[in-house]
Amino acid sequence: MDTFFQWISYIIDNSGLSMLRGARNTLIISFVATILGCLIGFVIGIVQTIPTNKNDHAIKKFLLRLIRVALGVYVEVFRGTPMMAQAFFIFFGSALLFNINMSMWFAAFFIVSINTGAYMSETVRGGILSIDPGQTEGAKAIGMTHYQTMTSVILPQALRNIMPQISNNLIINIKDTCVLSSIGIVELMYASRGAAGANYRYFETFTLTMIMYLAMTLFFSRLLRVIEKKMEGELNYDLATHDTLAHTSGMYNYPMKEGKR
């Protein structure tokens, strides 16, 4: 075998199954961690936007401030350090300091989830603040609590606004799970390194790996873009009304009498 494509075919025949299993694990970790990270981000985003006023008890203000400081430290630490360093610190540090031996799957989900949650928390906070404050005031005017306002009024609109960033985080996680191979997680990069070591054909093996990563990211980026468009809804709407005199679009034109303009 002398040609590039012959080696590619050979690698697919001999190591293709293990690489596909690695790609499957990559997708599972990415999807689960993105969902968990989004949940973490939404919780932190809601906590960071809890309003306070002069009438609140001092203990409530103190506890809320303390929680916000702790969450702020978490966000800055995990946004300001690389995921590979976080993986080493969490996986080996938990065993050394607390005698906690994480399973490979738990470690993968935990590491990627908390990393994603740190980024998503700022995204959610920005999405919440992007909603017109008048909607929050209107919800409070009709007696809704902060929780009800968030879940029924603000978050549905914020979710639509931050959907592109959620899609972006999923694509990033598909690629960044490769750092988990450094702690023994069997994902696509780990399987690719094994295939390259067995065949001593690194260029051909990692060319195939790049194609697999590209195929996954392109497919899901297009799929999520379709979901984004569905969430935007129709461009034009007719006003729903029970008034028999009103036109279905919400407008009614009264005919002008003769001699009047």
Side-chain angles (χ1 to χ4, degrees):
M1 291 180 293
D2 296 326
T3 67
F4 172 80
F5 292 104
Q6 286 178 330
W7 275 110
I8 290 290
S9 178
Y10 177 81
I11 293 169
I12 291 174
D13 291 338
N14 290 271
S15 304
L17 186 59
S18 65
M19 294 177 71
L20 284 175
R21 289 172 180 164
R24 178 201 61 189
N25 293 343
T26 292
L27 291 177
I28 293 173
I29 295 170
S30 301
F31 270 106
V32 174
T34 300
I35 293 171
L36 294 176
C38 287
L39 293 176
I40 294 171
F42 272 101
V43 171
I44 296 176
I46 292 173
V47 172
Q48 289 178 333
T49 56
I50 293 177
T52 57
N53 54 62
K54 296 180 180 179
N55 298 326
D56 288 337
H57 198 280
I59 295 178
K60 176 186 175 182
K61 292 181 179 179
F62 173 76
L63 291 177
L64 188 57
R65 183 175 180 80
L66 186 64
I67 292 172
R68 285 176 175 172
V69 169
L71 293 177
V73 171
Y74 155 70
V75 170
E76 294 302 327
V77 168
F78 282 91
R79 287 200 310 164
T81 55
M83 190 187 292
M84 181 174 286
Q86 296 167 16
F88 282 121
F89 180 81
I90 292 172
F91 186 72
F92 296 110
S94 61
L96 180 64
L97 299 176
F98 305 106
N99 198 27
I100 299 175
N101 296 313
M102 296 184 179
S103 66
M104 293 297 182
W105 281 102
F106 178 82
F109 294 142
F110 184 71
I111 292 166
V112 183
S113 295
I114 59 176
N115 182 274
T116 304
Y119 286 95
M120 281 304 305
S121 63
E122 289 299 292
T123 301
V124 172
R125 186 177 66 86
I128 291 173
L129 295 178
S130 69
I131 306 301
D132 187 353
Q135 299 196 34
T136 301
E137 295 173 2
K140 290 181 179 179
I142 62 175
M144 297 180 71
T145 64
H146 178 72
Y147 175 79
Q148 291 172 330
T149 302
M150 285 290 110
T151 56
S152 301
V153 179
I154 304 300
L155 289 183
Q157 298 178 76
L159 177 61
R160 182 187 61 187
N161 293 340
I162 67 176
M163 191 62 192
Q165 185 58 35
I166 295 176
S167 303
N168 189 50
N169 280 331
L170 175 59
I171 301 305
I172 291 173
N173 285 340
I174 290 175
K175 296 182 297 180
D176 285 358
T177 50
C178 65
V179 305
L180 298 176
S181 63
S182 60
I183 59 173
I185 307 297
V186 183
E187 41 71 63
L188 179 55
M189 184 59 68
Y190 188 99
S192 299
R193 290 168 59 183
N199 300 315
Y200 296 100
R201 305 300 299 188
Y202 288 87
F203 177 68
E204 293 85 351
T205 301
F206 286 105
T207 298
L208 185 60
T209 303
M210 288 181 62
I211 293 172
M212 293 176 71
Y213 274 115
L214 184 61
M216 289 188 291
T217 55
L218 285 177
F219 174 79
F220 287 104
S221 64
R222 297 298 181 271
L223 177 62
L224 291 170
R225 192 163 298 174
V226 171
I227 296 174
E228 289 174 29
K229 290 185 180 296
K230 293 291 185 181
M231 293 182 68
E232 290 176 0
E234 301 292 338
L235 295 177
N236 299 305
Y237 295 89
D238 285 335
L239 179 63
T241 177
H242 297 290
D243 189 352
T244 57
L245 296 178
H247 191 266
T248 55
S249 62
M251 302 295 293
Y252 186 80
N253 295 323
Y254 291 91
M256 297 182 66
K257 295 182 179 180
E258 293 185 9
K260 292 185 179 181
R261 293 184 179 179

